[in-house]
């Protein structure tokens, strides 16, 4: 007969295997802490913002404002590609004397444009917080200097530069989240093992199990005989 576990049995199992469950939970939390604090390399992020805005005189601005805005928004997609192109990244690497290739540096950079605005956000990730700031600012400066040569336009303004924080906080690993995941996973693993041990145990431990297996009521008990 298939063995079933009701809520009462579940509580009994949790109490019986409490030490096992808590031990596995503590073990997984410890492993997560060791990985987060001593193994995984912290990664910092810096951000700079660039404004795409064609400079026009007053008469041109009144006449072509709507058209200019549409053109600038279309150019943003092109600029996002150019920012991460080897033409720009090679000059950034040379200026900062970085020990990386354009392809490696490209993986550290993300370019976004929120809500179809004319502001482009350039984010740089790096294990060194100071170097992340230097790369972001140098990237913006090189892009602003090179874009007139590449596209014969001059519509780039650096809105905000990245700054070095006195106490930089890495964006990953998320230590608290890792500890939480380790604790939850350890707890679930402990419960799974506890249930497996209980289900695989074929010994009859109470008169209630006899009733369930034989489907007959208990009519008497035999006392222990010395």
């Amino acid at each position: 007969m298939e063995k079933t576990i009701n809520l009462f049995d579940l509580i009994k199992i949790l109490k019986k295997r409490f030490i096992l469950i808590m031990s596995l939970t503590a073990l997984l939390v410890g492993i997560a802490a060791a990985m987060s604090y001593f193994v995984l390399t912290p990664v910092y992020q810096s951000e700079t913002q660039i404004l795409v805005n064609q400079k026009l005189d007053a008469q041109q601005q009144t006449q072509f404002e709507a058209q200019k805005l549409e053109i600038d928004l279309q150019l943003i997609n092109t600029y996002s590609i150019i920012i991460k192109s080897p033409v720009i990244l090679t000059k950034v690497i040379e200026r900062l004397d970085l020990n990386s290739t354009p392809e490696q540096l490209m993986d550290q950079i993300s370019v976004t444009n929120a809500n179809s605005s004319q502001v482009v956000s350039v984010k740089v990730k790096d294990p060194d917080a100071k170097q992340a700031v230097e790369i972001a600012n140098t990237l913006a400066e090189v892009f602003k200097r090179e874009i007139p040569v590449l596209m014969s336009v001059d519509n780039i303004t650096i809105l905000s530069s990245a700054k070095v924080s006195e106490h930089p906080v890495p964006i990953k690993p998320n230590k608290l989240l890792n500890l939480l995941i380790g604790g939850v996973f350890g707890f679930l693993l402990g419960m799974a093992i506890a249930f497996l041990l209980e289900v695989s145990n074929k010994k009859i431990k109470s008169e209630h199990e006899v009733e369930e297996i034989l489907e007959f009521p208990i009519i008497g008990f035999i006392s222990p005989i010395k």
Side-chain angles (χ1 to χ4, degrees):
M1 180 177 178
E2 185 179 353
K3 186 174 182 178
T4 60
I5 298 178
N6 55 34
L7 181 59
F8 180 74
D9 294 330
L10 175 63
I11 296 175
K12 287 179 62 177
I13 293 173
L14 292 178
K15 289 182 178 180
K16 182 179 178 180
R17 306 290 181 177
F18 179 79
I19 296 178
L20 170 65
I21 295 172
M22 290 299 102
S23 298
L24 284 174
T25 302
L27 176 62
L28 268 295
V29 169
I31 293 175
M35 293 291 293
S36 299
Y37 285 91
F38 303 108
V39 178
L40 298 177
T41 303
V43 176
Y44 300 88
Q45 180 174 277
S46 63
E47 180 179 0
T48 183
Q49 292 182 324
I50 299 172
L51 175 64
V52 179
N53 184 25
Q54 186 69 42
K55 297 179 181 178
L56 301 173
D57 57 36
Q59 182 178 358
Q60 289 177 318
Q61 187 168 355
T62 303
Q63 185 176 0
F64 300 108
E65 184 66 31
Q67 183 180 1
K68 178 181 74 67
L69 177 61
E70 182 180 353
I71 293 175
D72 284 341
L73 291 177
Q74 291 175 352
L75 285 174
I76 285 174
N77 293 330
T78 303
Y79 291 164
S80 299
I81 298 174
I82 295 177
I83 289 175
K84 299 177 66 174
S85 68
V87 175
I88 303 297
L89 299 184
T90 300
K91 290 181 170 57
V92 173
I93 293 172
E94 293 174 353
R95 180 180 291 191
L96 297 177
D97 194 23
L98 300 177
N99 186 25
S100 61
T101 63
E103 290 75 18
Q104 292 172 333
L105 184 57
M106 185 186 304
D107 293 335
Q108 298 178 235
I109 300 169
S110 61
V111 183
T112 58
N113 166 238
N115 300 323
S116 298
S117 68
Q118 294 173 267
V119 177
V120 178
S121 296
V122 181
K123 298 179 181 179
V124 178
K125 298 177 183 178
D126 195 270
D128 188 326
K130 183 179 179 181
Q131 183 163 286
V133 171
E134 292 177 347
I135 293 174
N137 291 335
T138 303
L139 183 62
E141 293 170 2
V142 170
F143 175 71
K144 181 181 179 181
R145 186 188 65 191
E146 295 296 325
I147 200 63
V149 178
L150 295 173
M151 298 188 65
S152 301
V153 293
D154 184 15
N155 61 345
I156 300 298
T157 303
I158 299 177
L159 282 183
S160 63
S161 300
K163 295 178 175 58
V164 180
S165 174
E166 185 176 352
H167 302 288
V169 178
I171 60 171
K172 60 180 182 180
N174 189 328
K175 298 174 183 177
L176 182 60
L177 179 60
N178 290 347
L179 294 179
L180 179 61
I181 293 175
V184 172
F185 185 74
F187 182 76
L188 295 177
L189 179 62
M191 288 199 302
I193 294 176
F195 294 151
L196 182 61
L197 291 175
E198 193 68 21
V199 172
S200 62
N201 187 357
K202 302 300 183 181
K203 294 181 180 179
I204 298 176
K205 297 178 285 297
S206 68
E207 65 273 13
H208 298 294
E209 292 187 9
V210 175
E211 290 181 328
E212 291 179 358
I213 294 174
L214 299 179
E215 297 183 352
F216 289 108
I218 301 296
I219 59 175
F221 296 91
I222 300 177
S223 300
I225 301 176
K226 296 182 181 181

